[in-house]
Amino acid sequence: MTRILIVEDDSAIARNLTDFLRGEGFDAVSVPGAAAALEAVDESFDLALLDVGLPDGNGFALCSAIKQRFGTPIIFLTASGDEYSVVTGFDLGADDYIAKPFRPRELASRIRSVLRRAGRASSVVELEGLRVDTEKAQVTKNGREVYLSALEYKLLLVFLNNRGQVLSRAKLLDEIWDVGGDFVNDNTLTVYIKRLRDKIEDDPAEPRIIKTVRGLGYKL
Ligand code: CA
């Protein structure tokens, strides 16, 4: 799964971006400043989104450091007033920039185009005969196309983004409750998990992809 590091000190923006990018099938991690970014960054990240004005430094210095160490593709998130410095960003090797406020869809398409140019676009996840192409939002099971509702697909992405981790029902509800304006309560979550299993498991009675962890939740 494509990993994205978000460096942004505005916690609301960071949270929204993280949620949005996870919904888009990325493994997104956010940190609030330059020092935290340097600690978190490693070669596993396919791209970094850098805010220019950070409380403990600026995005440009960070860009140089990350580029030098890992060559990670970088997109700057610029605030109004930063535009003059966009040139500086490109001089330091930034791959693109986007001015705040931006439309999430536009950011996602910029990210995908930078990843493609950098040859890092891995949008396909496969396990147990299940194949999910998050770029095309296409799901197949044993070579046959599987048709998921928006909520079922979102639920599947939440599992893919948290592979190997136990997800509590509360966490799952938190992640999917507002997709498409549908209200999801604890009972409907059970129904959605069942529907998803019916569509992606070889034997929904003996699930091998989405496993139940008794008393705790579910795990991919
Ligand atoms: Ca900032």
Side-chain angles (χ1 to χ4, degrees), residues 8-10 51-55 79 100:
E8 169 62 75
D9 58 304
D10 181 318
D51 181 23
V52 174
L54 295 166
K100 293 187 228 176

Side-chain angles (χ1 to χ4, degrees), residues 3-152:
R3 295 196 84 202
I4 298 180
L5 179 67
I6 301 163
V7 186
E8 169 62 75
D9 58 304
D10 181 318
S11 58
I13 296 178
R15 162 94 208 187
N16 287 340
L17 256 184
T18 308
D19 289 351
F20 172 73
L21 293 176
R22 285 181 181 165
E24 291 288 302
F26 297 108
D27 175 10
V29 175
S30 88
V31 292
L38 287 171
E39 209 156 284
V41 72
D42 60 28
E43 67 285 341
S44 73
F45 287 97
D46 298 292
L47 185 137
L49 295 176
L50 304 187
D51 181 23
V52 174
L54 295 166
D56 59 346
N58 71 63
F60 297 132
L62 191 56
C63 173
S64 301
I66 293 175
K67 277 278 176 195
Q68 234 165 46
R69 285 163 67 187
F70 305 109
T72 316
I74 285 171
I75 298 177
F76 276 110
L77 308 172
T78 61
S80 62
D82 286 336
E83 281 82 0
Y84 69 93
S85 50
V86 161
V87 177
T88 313
F90 282 123
D91 282 348
L92 293 170
D95 298 83
D96 202 354
Y97 78 96
I98 188 163
K100 293 187 228 176
F102 47 80
R103 287 195 307 275
R105 294 274 153 217
E106 192 192 346
L107 177 63
S109 89
R110 301 276 194 99
I111 288 174
R112 293 200 165 99
S113 99
V114 167
L115 287 169
R116 270 196 300 276
R117 270 189 275 145
R120 293 189 185 229
S122 76
S123 59
V124 177
V125 186
E126 289 181 85
L127 73 161
E128 299 284 340
L130 178 72
R131 183 177 187 281
V132 183
D133 184 330
T134 52
E135 191 160 327
K136 296 178 184 156
Q138 190 181 53
V139 182
T140 58
K141 173 70 181 183
N142 299 329
R144 283 192 183 170
E145 189 143 7
V146 172
Y147 298 96
L148 300 179
S149 70
L151 215 143
E152 290 160 1

